[in-house]
Every structure is written in C-alpha cells, then in structure tokens.
Amino acid sequence: MQGKPRIAVIGAGLGGTAAAALLQREGFNVRLYEQAPAFSRLGAGIHVGPNVMKIMRRIGIEDGLNAMGCHPDYWYSRDWKTGEVIAQIPLGDYAVSHYGATYLTVHRGDFHALLTDAVAPGTLLFDKKLTQVEDLGDVVRLSFADGTVEEADIVIGADGVNSKIRETLLGAEPPKYTGYIAHRAVFPISRVKGFTHDRCTKWWSDDRHMMVYFDTGKLDEIYYVTGVPEPTWDMSKSWLPSSIDEMRAAFDGWHQGVQSLIEGTVEVTKWPLLERDPLPLWSRGRLVLLGDACHPMKPHMAQGAAMAIEDAAMLTRCFVEAGLDDFGTTFALYEANRAERASKVQRVSHENTWLRSNENPDWCFGYDVFEVPLVEPAAAAVPASPATAATAATATAAA
Ligand SMILES: Cc1cc2nc3c(=O)[nH]c(=O)nc-3n(C[C@H](O)[C@H](O)[C@H](O)COP(=O)(O)OP(=O)(O)OC[C@H]3O[C@@H](n4cnc5c(N)ncnc54)[C@H](O)[C@@H]3O)c2cc1C
C-alpha cells in the first residue's frame, strides 16, 4: 500500500467508535461513517465490565466513565416470586483488586457520547448511509445514500445486525428472531415506591427475567431490561412502544420489587432479540467485520457491546503487530483471536444462564485483550451456532 492506508469504519455504534478511537491512538488514518443524522440519549443502560474498562483506559476515558457510572457492589440474582437472593457475584472493590479495573453500569447514551468525544474532531461523518461497497482489488469504493462516493484502502464493517458489509461478503440474509423480546425503560428513582433496589439485580423465573440497575453515579435514574417470550415479531420494525398494562400482564404475580418498577415506569419500549449463527468468514479482500455485524447475540450476558469493543481492540492490535501490507494475514489473525470467545459469549447469552447461580465469571471479566497471548490462525477452534452448541452442551451434560 502506497502512503498511509485510509481506513474507513462503517457505523459509529460503540464498536465502530471504539475502533476509530483506538486506531487513531496508534497513528492510523481513520474516517467513521454513520447513517444517523445525529445521536440522541435513547432510553437504555449498559454494563461495562473490567474487560471493557481496560480498553477505555487505553482510549483515555476510564476516569470519565468511572465518574459517570454506578458501581454495583454485587450482581444479585433473585427469585421472581419470593425475592430470595439465589446468587451474589462480587463486583465493586473486588473487581478492582481481582480484575484490575472497575465494573460499572451507565446510561448507554452517556457512554456513547463520552466515547465519541474521544475521536478526533472531523473523523465522524453523520448522515452517511452506506448503500454500496465495491472492493476493486487495489482500493474500495464506498457509495452513500446522499450521492457521495469515497475511497478507502481498508473497510471495517461495524454496521450492526443488518450490516451492509456482511451482506456484501455473504449475501442478503435477515438475522434470526429468537422468539424473545426485551422491554426497556429508564426513569427517575424518585418514581419508585415501596421497595429499595440494590444497584444491580436480575430477577428470574423459568421463562422470563427482568434485569434492573442504576445508570448514573448519583443513583438518581434506574433502568430495567427484560427477556420475555413472544412467538412472532414484525421484522420490518426495529422496536415498538410498549405500555405499563403490557408490563403488568407479562410480570403478573411477580415480587413487589418488580411491581414497584412497573408502576414507576414513564415510558417503555420493546425490542426483538436477534441472533445469527457464526459466520463462515469475517473478512474477504479489504473488508472486515466486527461486533453485531458478525456475531449479534441475545443481550443476556450484557456483553454484546463488550464483544464489539473487544473486537475493535483486537483488530487494532493485529494491525499494529502484523501490519497492513498483507491485510489478509492480519484479518485471519484477528478472526483467529476473536471468533471462539465471541461465539462462547453468544452461546451463553443464548442459554440465558449467566450468573443465575454463584459461578466464577473470571473467564469473561478477567480477559485483557492487550495481554492475551495471540494464537495463530491454524490453531483456532471452529465455533458452532449458539442454538446447536447449547443443545450439544445439554446432551453432553445429560450423558
Ligand atoms: C435490549 C438490549 C440490551 C443490551 N444490553 C447490553 C449491555 O448491557 N451490555 C453490552 O455490552 N451489550 C448490550 N447489548 C448489546 C449491544 O447493544 C450490541 O451488541 C452492541 O450495540 C453492538 O455494537 P455494534 O457497534 O457492533 O453495533 P450497533 O450498536 O448496532 O452500531 C451499528 C451502527 O452502524 C450504523 N449503521 C448501520 N448501517 C449503516 C450503513 N449502511 N451506513 C452507515 N452506518 C450504518 C447504525 O446506525 C449504528 O450506529 C444489548 C442489546 C439489547 C438489544
């Protein structure tokens, strides 16, 4: 490649924005293209574990995020009816001493804004919906809905579950609807009466759950996200409004802690939970994928964005260690060092068992993308689909 390679990142979600910030810190020439005209503070929270906080440290926003977020002392799992604590996973000071970074929960929009500010001014271009990508061999041509055309040497598809880059690599195929939806609501804690909530609790029954946590350091705002069976979903809709009545029906008979949240709700929306089986490839030619573009998952480990951000960090590491001249080799190294972990998180998320009992989460929270020894492509394991792997795991356990 002559001169400094131009890297185009498509999609300024958490994965794409992290990629741009990390690549810039290593001196790469990056542009970030986003279809949305602007970002707003959508009603959702997010967990940020030590595995992600170490990447935020590298970007330079660890302190800002620590100041912004809520620091749960434990992840509690509780029984839906009795409220009994069925698991208690230490976070707080334990996370700092054991994993070397904090575990926090935060408003997703606040986190995204902080990360976006870490990208150099002029890098992020809004209103740039990619409509076509052509790998011409020596360069990639990008066409946008506004009629503009740009060129890049490398294109990173961080464009989410309906990725245009994935479609270009593998053909059009909608993601799979899992048969579950997630209700999401954020509102002031002052609206919640009759129950004192811990900082982070998941309420479980056999077929549904409600995850609840504060999303600010001031503990003035609370967030819940559910997983509820729903046989069908109109795939033309990315979300729909829900209602307090719908929540009352879905959680009829549940503990007072859950009822207190439903009654305090201001506005609630519902989202389909989507997945894809592991892709046969993550790159071809000058195009490479990360995050939901290549491994969308149920959010039940609260690690979907974490996997996108870890991908961004590993891809940057591979660019630094293996260079960009032979990008095919670099992309193979990246995939070899990400596919197995991303698929494991996809599978456990699919099973929805994470931290329901007092299991050891070290393999997930203790991962350091900058320190983990790299494996060569030939040595990497081939991942199975989330559902197939879950069935196989059950069969093995039963045998
Ligand atoms: C209910 C729910 C709760 C969740 N909770 C958590 C949690 O607590 N912790 C966690 O880690 N994860 C969580 N996740 C998962 C997480 O939201 C996703 O895994 C994560 O957002 C994926 O990041 P991404 O950057 O790969 O994709 P996205 O966040 O989807 O970003 C893709 C970006 O690309 C843009 N784009 C798409 N197409 C184009 C185009 N053609 N041209 C230009 N731009 C384009 C989009 O506008 C978007 O900004 C949750 C998910 C759900 C549904």
Side-chain angles (χ1 to χ4, degrees), residues 10-16 33-36 39 45-47 108 128-130 158-161 164 182 184 213 223 225 271-273 290-293 299 302-306 308:
I10 309 299
L14 290 168
Y33 299 94
E34 169 57 43
Q35 66 182 0
F39 289 132
I46 191 163
H47 293 242
R108 194 187 171 96
K128 287 285 180 190
K129 181 182 170 71
L130 183 79
D159 46 347
V161 65
K164 188 76 192 166
R184 284 167 146 173
Y213 52 90
Y223 169 65
V225 54
W271 303 70
L273 300 184
L290 66 73
D292 275 12
Q303 287 284 330

Short mmCIF file of all heavy atoms in Angstrom, two decimals, residues 10-16 33-36 39 45-47 108 128-130 158-161 164 182 184 213 223 225 271-273 290-293 299 302-306 308, ligand 1:
data_model
loop_
_atom_site.label_atom_id
_atom_site.label_comp_id
_atom_site.label_asym_id
_atom_site.label_seq_id
_atom_site.Cartn_x
_atom_site.Cartn_y
_atom_site.Cartn_z
N ILE A 10 -17.41 1.75 9.00
CA ILE A 10 -18.83 1.99 8.70
C ILE A 10 -19.63 1.68 9.95
O ILE A 10 -19.66 0.54 10.43
CB ILE A 10 -19.32 1.10 7.53
CG1 ILE A 10 -18.39 1.22 6.32
CG2 ILE A 10 -20.76 1.47 7.17
CD1 ILE A 10 -18.27 2.59 5.73
N GLY A 11 -20.30 2.70 10.50
CA GLY A 11 -21.12 2.53 11.70
C GLY A 11 -20.42 3.07 12.93
O GLY A 11 -19.34 2.61 13.29
N ALA A 12 -21.04 4.09 13.54
CA ALA A 12 -20.44 4.72 14.73
C ALA A 12 -21.20 4.31 15.99
O ALA A 12 -21.50 5.13 16.85
CB ALA A 12 -20.41 6.23 14.58
N GLY A 13 -21.54 3.01 16.10
CA GLY A 13 -22.04 2.47 17.37
C GLY A 13 -20.86 2.37 18.34
O GLY A 13 -19.78 2.91 18.09
N LEU A 14 -21.05 1.62 19.41
CA LEU A 14 -19.97 1.52 20.40
C LEU A 14 -18.75 0.80 19.80
O LEU A 14 -17.61 1.18 20.08
CB LEU A 14 -20.47 0.81 21.65
CG LEU A 14 -21.47 1.65 22.48
CD1 LEU A 14 -22.16 0.78 23.54
CD2 LEU A 14 -20.75 2.83 23.16
N GLY A 15 -18.99 -0.20 18.95
CA GLY A 15 -17.86 -0.93 18.36
C GLY A 15 -17.08 -0.09 17.36
O GLY A 15 -15.84 -0.01 17.43
N GLY A 16 -17.78 0.55 16.44
CA GLY A 16 -17.12 1.36 15.41
C GLY A 16 -16.41 2.57 16.00
O GLY A 16 -15.29 2.93 15.58
N TYR A 33 -18.03 6.58 9.34
CA TYR A 33 -19.24 6.96 8.61
C TYR A 33 -20.48 6.42 9.32
O TYR A 33 -20.58 5.22 9.57
CB TYR A 33 -19.20 6.40 7.19
CG TYR A 33 -18.03 6.89 6.37
CD1 TYR A 33 -16.85 6.16 6.30
CD2 TYR A 33 -18.11 8.10 5.67
CE1 TYR A 33 -15.77 6.61 5.55
CE2 TYR A 33 -17.03 8.56 4.92
CZ TYR A 33 -15.87 7.81 4.86
OH TYR A 33 -14.80 8.26 4.12
N GLU A 34 -21.43 7.28 9.63
CA GLU A 34 -22.63 6.90 10.38
C GLU A 34 -23.88 7.35 9.62
O GLU A 34 -23.98 8.50 9.22
CB GLU A 34 -22.60 7.52 11.78
CG GLU A 34 -23.89 7.43 12.57
CD GLU A 34 -24.41 6.00 12.77
OE1 GLU A 34 -23.63 5.10 13.08
OE2 GLU A 34 -25.64 5.79 12.57
N GLN A 35 -24.85 6.42 9.50
CA GLN A 35 -26.07 6.74 8.75
C GLN A 35 -26.98 7.74 9.47
O GLN A 35 -27.70 8.52 8.83
CB GLN A 35 -26.85 5.47 8.43
CG GLN A 35 -27.42 4.77 9.65
CD GLN A 35 -28.15 3.48 9.33
OE1 GLN A 35 -28.25 3.09 8.17
NE2 GLN A 35 -28.65 2.81 10.35
N ALA A 36 -26.96 7.72 10.80
CA ALA A 36 -27.87 8.59 11.57
C ALA A 36 -27.46 10.05 11.38
O ALA A 36 -26.29 10.36 11.22
CB ALA A 36 -27.81 8.23 13.04
N PHE A 39 -26.78 11.64 17.16
CA PHE A 39 -27.12 10.67 18.20
C PHE A 39 -27.94 11.35 19.28
O PHE A 39 -27.70 12.51 19.62
CB PHE A 39 -25.85 10.08 18.83
CG PHE A 39 -25.11 9.15 17.91
CD1 PHE A 39 -23.74 9.27 17.75
CD2 PHE A 39 -25.78 8.15 17.21
CE1 PHE A 39 -23.05 8.41 16.91
CE2 PHE A 39 -25.10 7.29 16.37
CZ PHE A 39 -23.73 7.42 16.21
N GLY A 45 -29.70 1.43 29.43
CA GLY A 45 -28.46 1.35 30.19
C GLY A 45 -27.55 0.30 29.59
O GLY A 45 -27.94 -0.42 28.67
N ILE A 46 -26.35 0.20 30.16
CA ILE A 46 -25.41 -0.81 29.69
C ILE A 46 -24.43 -1.14 30.81
O ILE A 46 -24.10 -0.28 31.62
CB ILE A 46 -24.68 -0.31 28.41
CG1 ILE A 46 -23.90 -1.43 27.75
CG2 ILE A 46 -23.78 0.90 28.70
CD1 ILE A 46 -23.52 -1.12 26.31
N HIS A 47 -24.03 -2.42 30.87
CA HIS A 47 -22.98 -2.84 31.80
C HIS A 47 -21.64 -2.64 31.11
O HIS A 47 -21.50 -2.96 29.92
CB HIS A 47 -23.08 -4.34 32.09
CG HIS A 47 -24.30 -4.75 32.84
ND1 HIS A 47 -24.23 -5.34 34.08
CD2 HIS A 47 -25.61 -4.71 32.52
CE1 HIS A 47 -25.44 -5.63 34.50
NE2 HIS A 47 -26.31 -5.25 33.57
N ARG A 108 -26.47 4.27 28.38
CA ARG A 108 -25.79 3.96 27.13
C ARG A 108 -25.46 5.23 26.32
O ARG A 108 -24.40 5.34 25.72
CB ARG A 108 -26.72 3.05 26.32
CG ARG A 108 -26.11 2.39 25.18
CD ARG A 108 -27.20 1.67 24.38
NE ARG A 108 -26.62 1.21 23.15
CZ ARG A 108 -26.15 -0.01 22.97
NH1 ARG A 108 -26.28 -0.92 23.89
NH2 ARG A 108 -25.58 -0.34 21.84
N LYS A 128 -24.32 9.56 6.66
CA LYS A 128 -23.58 8.83 5.63
C LYS A 128 -24.04 7.38 5.64
O LYS A 128 -23.41 6.51 6.26
CB LYS A 128 -22.07 8.92 5.90
CG LYS A 128 -21.48 10.27 5.59
CD LYS A 128 -21.37 10.46 4.10
CE LYS A 128 -20.78 11.81 3.75
NZ LYS A 128 -20.89 12.07 2.29
N LYS A 129 -25.18 7.13 4.99
CA LYS A 129 -25.69 5.75 4.92
C LYS A 129 -25.02 5.04 3.74
O LYS A 129 -25.20 5.44 2.58
CB LYS A 129 -27.21 5.77 4.74
CG LYS A 129 -27.83 4.38 4.69
CD LYS A 129 -29.33 4.48 4.46
CE LYS A 129 -29.97 3.16 4.16
NZ LYS A 129 -30.07 2.24 5.26
N LEU A 130 -24.26 4.02 4.06
CA LEU A 130 -23.58 3.26 3.00
C LEU A 130 -24.62 2.47 2.21
O LEU A 130 -25.41 1.73 2.80
CB LEU A 130 -22.57 2.29 3.64
CG LEU A 130 -21.76 1.49 2.64
CD1 LEU A 130 -20.62 2.32 2.06
CD2 LEU A 130 -21.20 0.23 3.31
N ALA A 158 -18.66 -2.08 10.92
CA ALA A 158 -19.14 -2.05 12.32
C ALA A 158 -20.58 -1.58 12.28
O ALA A 158 -21.02 -0.79 13.12
CB ALA A 158 -18.27 -1.12 13.15
N ASP A 159 -21.32 -2.07 11.28
CA ASP A 159 -22.63 -1.51 10.97
C ASP A 159 -23.79 -2.37 11.47
O ASP A 159 -24.89 -2.34 10.91
CB ASP A 159 -22.76 -1.19 9.47
CG ASP A 159 -22.27 -2.31 8.56
OD1 ASP A 159 -21.61 -3.25 9.05
OD2 ASP A 159 -22.53 -2.25 7.35
N GLY A 160 -23.53 -3.11 12.54
CA GLY A 160 -24.63 -3.71 13.30
C GLY A 160 -25.26 -4.93 12.67
O GLY A 160 -24.78 -5.51 11.69
N VAL A 161 -26.39 -5.34 13.27
CA VAL A 161 -27.01 -6.63 12.96
C VAL A 161 -27.46 -6.75 11.50
O VAL A 161 -27.48 -7.84 10.94
CB VAL A 161 -28.18 -6.89 13.95
CG1 VAL A 161 -29.31 -5.91 13.79
CG2 VAL A 161 -28.68 -8.32 13.86
N LYS A 164 -24.42 -3.92 6.05
CA LYS A 164 -24.26 -3.88 4.59
C LYS A 164 -22.96 -4.58 4.18
O LYS A 164 -22.89 -5.22 3.12
CB LYS A 164 -24.23 -2.41 4.14
CG LYS A 164 -24.27 -2.21 2.66
CD LYS A 164 -25.67 -2.42 2.14
CE LYS A 164 -25.69 -2.50 0.62
NZ LYS A 164 -26.97 -3.02 0.14
N ALA A 182 -37.24 -7.77 24.40
CA ALA A 182 -36.73 -7.07 25.59
C ALA A 182 -37.49 -5.77 25.75
O ALA A 182 -37.54 -4.97 24.81
CB ALA A 182 -35.24 -6.79 25.43
N ARG A 184 -37.57 -2.16 27.56
CA ARG A 184 -36.55 -1.27 28.14
C ARG A 184 -37.21 -0.01 28.65
O ARG A 184 -38.05 0.58 27.96
CB ARG A 184 -35.57 -0.83 27.07
CG ARG A 184 -34.55 -1.85 26.65
CD ARG A 184 -33.88 -1.37 25.38
NE ARG A 184 -32.49 -1.75 25.29
CZ ARG A 184 -31.74 -1.56 24.23
NH1 ARG A 184 -32.24 -0.99 23.14
NH2 ARG A 184 -30.48 -1.91 24.22
N TYR A 213 -30.92 -2.01 37.06
CA TYR A 213 -29.75 -1.35 37.64
C TYR A 213 -29.83 0.16 37.51
O TYR A 213 -30.58 0.68 36.68
CB TYR A 213 -28.45 -1.88 37.03
CG TYR A 213 -28.32 -1.89 35.53
CD1 TYR A 213 -27.80 -0.80 34.84
CD2 TYR A 213 -28.69 -3.01 34.79
CE1 TYR A 213 -27.65 -0.83 33.46
CE2 TYR A 213 -28.55 -3.04 33.41
CZ TYR A 213 -28.02 -1.95 32.75
OH TYR A 213 -27.88 -1.97 31.40
N TYR A 223 -32.91 1.73 35.51
CA TYR A 223 -33.16 1.15 34.19
C TYR A 223 -33.57 -0.30 34.37
O TYR A 223 -33.03 -0.99 35.23
CB TYR A 223 -31.86 1.21 33.39
CG TYR A 223 -31.84 0.42 32.09
CD1 TYR A 223 -32.66 0.74 31.02
CD2 TYR A 223 -30.97 -0.66 31.91
CE1 TYR A 223 -32.62 0.03 29.83
CE2 TYR A 223 -30.92 -1.38 30.72
CZ TYR A 223 -31.74 -1.03 29.69
OH TYR A 223 -31.70 -1.73 28.50
N VAL A 225 -34.43 -3.88 31.89
CA VAL A 225 -34.49 -4.52 30.58
C VAL A 225 -34.93 -5.96 30.82
O VAL A 225 -34.46 -6.60 31.75
CB VAL A 225 -33.13 -4.44 29.84
CG1 VAL A 225 -31.99 -4.98 30.67
CG2 VAL A 225 -33.18 -5.14 28.49
N TRP A 271 -38.14 -4.50 22.12
CA TRP A 271 -37.16 -4.73 21.06
C TRP A 271 -37.07 -6.23 20.79
O TRP A 271 -37.04 -7.03 21.73
CB TRP A 271 -35.78 -4.23 21.52
CG TRP A 271 -35.78 -2.77 21.90
CD1 TRP A 271 -36.38 -2.22 23.01
CD2 TRP A 271 -35.21 -1.69 21.19
NE1 TRP A 271 -36.19 -0.85 23.02
CE2 TRP A 271 -35.47 -0.50 21.91
CE3 TRP A 271 -34.47 -1.60 19.99
CZ2 TRP A 271 -35.04 0.75 21.48
CZ3 TRP A 271 -34.03 -0.36 19.57
CH2 TRP A 271 -34.32 0.80 20.30
N PRO A 272 -36.97 -6.63 19.53
CA PRO A 272 -36.80 -8.06 19.23
C PRO A 272 -35.36 -8.48 19.54
O PRO A 272 -34.43 -7.71 19.30
CB PRO A 272 -37.04 -8.13 17.72
CG PRO A 272 -36.57 -6.79 17.21
CD PRO A 272 -36.90 -5.79 18.30
N LEU A 273 -35.17 -9.67 20.07
CA LEU A 273 -33.82 -10.17 20.30
C LEU A 273 -33.42 -11.04 19.11
O LEU A 273 -34.11 -12.00 18.77
CB LEU A 273 -33.76 -10.94 21.62
CG LEU A 273 -34.13 -10.07 22.84
CD1 LEU A 273 -33.95 -10.86 24.13
CD2 LEU A 273 -33.32 -8.78 22.88
N LEU A 290 -16.79 -6.39 12.45
CA LEU A 290 -16.69 -6.51 13.91
C LEU A 290 -18.05 -6.32 14.56
O LEU A 290 -18.98 -5.77 13.96
CB LEU A 290 -15.63 -5.55 14.49
CG LEU A 290 -15.80 -4.03 14.44
CD1 LEU A 290 -16.84 -3.50 15.40
CD2 LEU A 290 -14.46 -3.36 14.77
N GLY A 291 -18.16 -6.77 15.80
CA GLY A 291 -19.36 -6.53 16.61
C GLY A 291 -20.60 -7.23 16.08
O GLY A 291 -20.53 -8.34 15.53
N ASP A 292 -21.75 -6.59 16.26
CA ASP A 292 -23.01 -7.20 15.85
C ASP A 292 -23.05 -7.51 14.36
O ASP A 292 -23.86 -8.32 13.91
CB ASP A 292 -24.19 -6.28 16.20
CG ASP A 292 -24.67 -6.46 17.64
OD1 ASP A 292 -23.96 -7.10 18.42
OD2 ASP A 292 -25.76 -5.94 17.97
N ALA A 293 -22.22 -6.87 13.57
CA ALA A 293 -22.17 -7.18 12.13
C ALA A 293 -21.77 -8.64 11.92
O ALA A 293 -22.20 -9.27 10.96
CB ALA A 293 -21.18 -6.25 11.43
N PRO A 299 -28.94 -10.33 24.57
CA PRO A 299 -28.12 -9.49 25.46
C PRO A 299 -27.99 -10.04 26.87
O PRO A 299 -27.70 -9.29 27.80
CB PRO A 299 -28.90 -8.18 25.46
CG PRO A 299 -30.32 -8.58 25.26
CD PRO A 299 -30.30 -9.82 24.38
N ALA A 302 -25.08 -9.30 29.01
CA ALA A 302 -24.73 -7.88 28.99
C ALA A 302 -23.32 -7.69 28.43
O ALA A 302 -22.54 -6.88 28.93
CB ALA A 302 -24.85 -7.27 30.39
N GLN A 303 -23.02 -8.45 27.38
CA GLN A 303 -21.65 -8.43 26.83
C GLN A 303 -21.64 -8.22 25.31
O GLN A 303 -20.59 -8.41 24.68
CB GLN A 303 -20.94 -9.75 27.17
CG GLN A 303 -20.53 -9.88 28.63
CD GLN A 303 -19.29 -9.05 28.96
OE1 GLN A 303 -18.43 -8.82 28.13
NE2 GLN A 303 -19.21 -8.57 30.20
N GLY A 304 -22.76 -7.85 24.70
CA GLY A 304 -22.77 -7.69 23.24
C GLY A 304 -21.90 -6.54 22.78
O GLY A 304 -21.06 -6.69 21.88
N ALA A 305 -22.07 -5.38 23.39
CA ALA A 305 -21.23 -4.23 23.04
C ALA A 305 -19.80 -4.48 23.50
O ALA A 305 -18.85 -4.06 22.83
CB ALA A 305 -21.79 -2.97 23.67
N ALA A 306 -19.68 -5.18 24.61
CA ALA A 306 -18.33 -5.51 25.10
C ALA A 306 -17.58 -6.32 24.05
O ALA A 306 -16.39 -6.07 23.80
CB ALA A 306 -18.44 -6.30 26.41
N ALA A 308 -18.10 -6.24 20.82
CA ALA A 308 -17.78 -5.33 19.70
C ALA A 308 -16.55 -4.49 20.03
O ALA A 308 -15.66 -4.31 19.18
CB ALA A 308 -18.99 -4.43 19.42
C1 LIG B 1 -32.14 -4.95 24.93
C2 LIG B 1 -30.65 -4.96 24.76
C3 LIG B 1 -29.81 -4.75 25.87
C4 LIG B 1 -28.41 -4.79 25.75
N1 LIG B 1 -27.60 -4.59 26.85
C5 LIG B 1 -26.24 -4.67 26.72
C6 LIG B 1 -25.35 -4.48 27.85
O1 LIG B 1 -25.77 -4.22 28.98
N2 LIG B 1 -24.00 -4.59 27.62
C7 LIG B 1 -23.49 -4.87 26.40
O2 LIG B 1 -22.24 -4.95 26.24
N3 LIG B 1 -24.30 -5.04 25.31
C8 LIG B 1 -25.65 -4.94 25.46
N4 LIG B 1 -26.46 -5.12 24.37
C9 LIG B 1 -25.87 -5.48 23.07
C10 LIG B 1 -25.38 -4.29 22.36
O3 LIG B 1 -26.38 -3.32 22.27
C11 LIG B 1 -24.89 -4.62 20.96
O4 LIG B 1 -24.21 -5.85 20.95
C12 LIG B 1 -23.94 -3.52 20.53
O5 LIG B 1 -24.63 -2.31 20.44
C13 LIG B 1 -23.28 -3.83 19.20
O6 LIG B 1 -22.45 -2.75 18.86
P1 LIG B 1 -22.02 -2.51 17.35
O7 LIG B 1 -21.18 -1.26 17.38
O8 LIG B 1 -21.47 -3.75 16.78
O9 LIG B 1 -23.39 -2.25 16.58
P2 LIG B 1 -24.50 -1.13 16.76
O10 LIG B 1 -24.54 -0.60 18.13
O11 LIG B 1 -25.76 -1.69 16.19
O12 LIG B 1 -23.99 0.06 15.84
C14 LIG B 1 -24.06 -0.01 14.42
C15 LIG B 1 -24.03 1.40 13.87
O13 LIG B 1 -23.94 1.32 12.46
C16 LIG B 1 -24.82 2.25 11.88
N5 LIG B 1 -25.14 1.76 10.53
C17 LIG B 1 -25.89 0.66 10.21
N6 LIG B 1 -25.97 0.51 8.88
C18 LIG B 1 -25.27 1.55 8.34
C19 LIG B 1 -25.00 1.97 7.00
N7 LIG B 1 -25.47 1.27 5.94
N8 LIG B 1 -24.24 3.07 6.79
C20 LIG B 1 -23.74 3.79 7.86
N9 LIG B 1 -24.00 3.46 9.15
C21 LIG B 1 -24.74 2.34 9.39
C22 LIG B 1 -26.02 2.27 12.83
O14 LIG B 1 -26.80 3.44 12.71
C23 LIG B 1 -25.31 2.18 14.19
O15 LIG B 1 -24.97 3.45 14.71
C24 LIG B 1 -27.85 -5.05 24.48
C25 LIG B 1 -28.68 -5.23 23.36
C26 LIG B 1 -30.07 -5.19 23.50
C27 LIG B 1 -30.95 -5.41 22.28
#
